[in-house]
Amino acid sequence: MASRDISETHDWFSDSARLHIKRRHAADRRLRLYGIGAIGLAIGLLAVLLGSLILSGHSAFVQTMVPLEIYVDPDAVEPDNVGGGNYRKLVRDAFQDLMPGEMSRTKQRAYLDMLSSGAPFMLRDRVVSNPSLIGQTVSISVPFADPIDQFHKGITPRDVPEAQRRVSDLQIGYYDQLLERGLISAPFNWTLFTAADSRFPEMAGLAGALVGSFYALLVCFLISFPVGIAAAIYLEEFARKNRWSDLIEVNINNLAAVPSVVFGLLGLAVFIGFFGLPRSAPLVGGMVLSLMTLPTIIIATRAALKAVPPSIREAAFGIGASRHQVVMHHVLPLAMPGILTGTIIGLAQALGETAPLLLIGMNAFITSAPGGLTDPATALPTQIFIWADSPERGFVARTSAAILVLIGFLIIMNAIAIFLRQKLERKW
Amino acid sequence: MVAGSATGRPAGDANDEPEGTQAMSEVEVLEAVKPESSPATRGGPNLSATTAPRARVVARDVHVYYGETHALKGIDLDIHKNEVVSFIGPSGCGKSTFLRCINRMNDVIEGCRVTGEITLDGQDIYARELDVVQLRARVGMVFQKPNPFPKSIYDNVAYGPRIHGLAGSKDVLDGIVEGSLKRAGLWNEVKDRLKEPGTGLSGGQQQRLCIARAIAVNPEVILMDEPCSALDPIATARIEELIDELRENFTIVIVTHSMQQAARVSQRTAFFHLGNLVEWGETEQIFTMPNDERTQGYITGRFG
Ligand SMILES: Nc1ncnc2c1ncn2[C@@H]1O[C@H](COP(=O)(O)OP(=O)(O)O)[C@@H](O)[C@H]1O
Ligand SMILES: [Mg+2]
């Protein structure tokens, strides 16, 4: 017999056998090292990405401010026209008061330019929301203009020729005086989260983009979740396997691979062009995004339905449950954790999607958060796109900060998905 | 019935085989064959179309195809009221397939085609107007692997009555649940934890829960596909006892791989081989004097 021949001729402890084993172990070790190297590379790149974002973006999370005591003069603000008051003068006067003594017009202009052009609007908002402040003195911290902000944060260097920086020597002089008197502080930049977009970096925030993204994702969820589940249930539980179901399956898988810009063109042509829905609206954005999320949800739902053991279906059929009852009472509840996981991952993808939103005009310059689904809005990724394109120095850090916020949301969503998968998914 | 009309090979051959005597003595020791079992009804190719009035399920010329596979090749079989019939035969011979024909569970399997006629109380169960959901309430099923729903013990048993609208009120439902669990011999073990998940019970308890779930809708026939194959001997013994008790109220068909089990619980036995129903009759007769060589070979352990 052959087996006996081998055992007689083959010596497991000969030198050649040892060499053979050694080579095999070396190959194992090499494979492991390659794997570790690949993972190290991936994590390293991720760390570089995050590191550079934090490095360039962290300064946007604080804002250089100056506290002002402003007397809301009834002459400047009439009680029956609160919104139309001359707040610019009030703010400028209060800021001027910080620097006593005569100033030439040029010096005065240089000094007043240090303050953000948005400062009067902050005072106006405060007074409009509380008209009883007219005739009283308001304590309010207002932001400096972007060049001073950048200078304070050390992004604009002091020791370069005056022509190479946007802060003049004169302004640096005033800055040093104010700093010495403790009038310059850099608290957390709430504006970044409470304000909508602005031409002035120190006044610009992500509120509009956050609300826009929320509305778009809401629409996306409301469309793709029920439609995706219904489609998946039909394909998985009802459709007979034949050429048509194969065709549908192939198409759904292809749909998931279609470049997102194509969906944007489709949305532009169909939703805006044909149905006449408004441009730049989260409603249209959500509809376009749902086209992309749909295949993801269908595929995830089908996988989750497939993972429900056949014994549960058999048990339900065996007791006389109809197809509808089998699906609704047993299969779907058991598949739900998997479906939710897939849905959240799909929505996270949609949250980061930029190209289709650009095509339907969600990259417009909009200075207030949308009040509804059809108001023009931006979304987080398109806001990043807009800021990255803006010339003001302050938008550089804000772009990175916005990316960090977006990544933060993505991490939260993926963490929820992982949590759901681990906590809810049943083990059989 | 045409008792004894079928001709087979002389059963005495079996005694010449050493394995044969062994298998037989097991049967005798177990004293499994119930004395009140029905008169011999031997099947065969020439079975007449007449059926006994008390036949519950009557199958005539049943063929089943899974795509190209011809899994059952013309089955003729009667299953009587209040008796336990066991199906035996080597793996893949079509026992489960035939069982699933009786409650049309094959409908769910894609590519499965059934021809021939099966009637339940004279009603063609493959008739167009028959509601398959109702049929499955009348013909319950217990599966090989215990498969309670991942719900509470109470909800497991209450599920059938709920979906079939059998219980008008909570009290009635409570009664049905208690009664079913009692009949399944599980009540004392679970009465204090009806709200706990059914999947937390032991294997044997789970299987009895599945039996309780099946009988909660008061079926006429209960089909059991190797209900003990995943259980330990003690749990198996409990289920076998239970089957014997349930016989009073239900007609039971059980697929089993254990000759002893078939002998212990069933009055009649059908032997399947390669998609054919080779032989069927009184359990005692099948085990002591099989007509067919293949039956002989199988029960004496020569193949299977
Ligand atoms: N769902 C199915 N699809 C295709 N073939 C099947 C299916 N179920 C059973 N069969 C085939 O039918 C034959 C009978 O199977 P089955 O009834 O399960 O046998 P048994 O229960 O006696 O072991 C086998 O050849 C098996 O391969
Ligand atoms: Mg089987």
Side-chain angles (χ1 to χ4, degrees), chain A residues 92-169:
Chain A
R92 286 179 159 230
D93 288 351
F95 187 54
Q96 187 70 65
D97 290 347
L98 293 180
M99 200 60 65
E102 279 299 300
M103 269 190 210
S104 70
R105 280 196 73 86
T106 344
K107 283 184 174 177
Q108 193 183 24
R109 164 144 345 130
Y111 176 65
L112 289 177
D113 277 353
M114 291 170 72
L115 209 58
S116 166
S117 315
F121 300 107
M122 291 180 72
L123 179 64
R124 194 189 78 159
D125 289 348
R126 176 80 74 87
V127 179
V128 166
S129 69
N130 184 11
S132 69
L133 291 175
I134 295 171
Q136 298 190 20
T137 301
V138 181
S139 297
I140 186 169
S141 272
V142 296
F144 280 103
D146 187 46
I148 303 300
D149 186 44
Q150 300 297 313
F151 184 75
H152 180 70
K153 289 169 179 168
I155 298 167
T156 305
R158 184 189 286 259
D159 45 8
V160 292
E162 187 175 13
Q164 287 179 25
R165 48 175 145 82
R166 287 167 57 217
V167 195
S168 64
D169 289 341

Side-chain angles (χ1 to χ4, degrees), chain B residues 98-258:
Chain B
F98 185 65
L99 205 65
R100 285 198 306 265
C101 287
I102 302 174
N103 66 348
R104 287 184 55 180
M105 280 293 275
N106 284 329
D107 289 17
V108 187
I109 299 171
E110 213 162 299
C112 180
R113 199 156 54 81
V114 180
T115 66
E117 187 191 54
I118 301 178
T119 59
L120 174 65
D121 296 336
Q123 187 185 14
D124 180 5
I125 65 167
Y126 281 88
R128 206 167 254 288
E129 64 275 11
L130 182 120
D131 179 39
V132 68
V133 161
Q134 220 175 51
L135 172 72
R136 293 195 191 127
R138 290 169 62 194
V139 183
M141 192 158 196
V142 175
F143 297 83
Q144 186 165 356
K145 199 171 146 271
N147 55 357
F149 298 128
K151 298 173 186 282
S152 73
I153 293 168
Y154 183 96
D155 286 339
N156 261 283
V157 183
Y159 184 69
R162 272 189 188 133
I163 61 169
H164 293 294
L166 301 184
S169 70
K170 176 92 174 80
D171 286 346
V172 176
L173 192 59
D174 286 351
I176 292 176
V177 170
E178 181 175 343
S180 305
L181 284 169
K182 275 183 175 154
R183 276 155 103 182
L186 193 60
W187 177 249
N188 287 330
E189 290 155 69
V190 302
K191 62 170 182 262
D192 300 322
R193 45 174 178 149
L194 292 175
K195 292 275 164 277
E196 284 172 34
T199 39
L201 298 171
S202 74
Q205 289 173 324
Q206 285 189 17
Q207 197 60 299
R208 275 179 283 148
L209 178 61
C210 291
I211 292 174
R213 178 177 68 189
I215 60 183
V217 291
N218 202 22
E220 296 157 49
V221 183
I222 304 176
L223 311 173
M224 300 186 176
D225 194 350
E226 301 183 39
C228 303
S229 64
L231 306 182
D232 62 56
I234 294 171
T236 300
R238 293 234 34 192
I239 302 270
E240 287 179 6
E241 264 172 51
L242 180 58
I243 291 171
D244 205 42
E245 289 162 22
L246 292 175
R247 184 161 62 89
E248 230 175 274
N249 297 300
F250 306 97
T251 304
I252 296 173
V253 186
I254 176 171
V255 173
T256 176
H257 268 297
S258 152

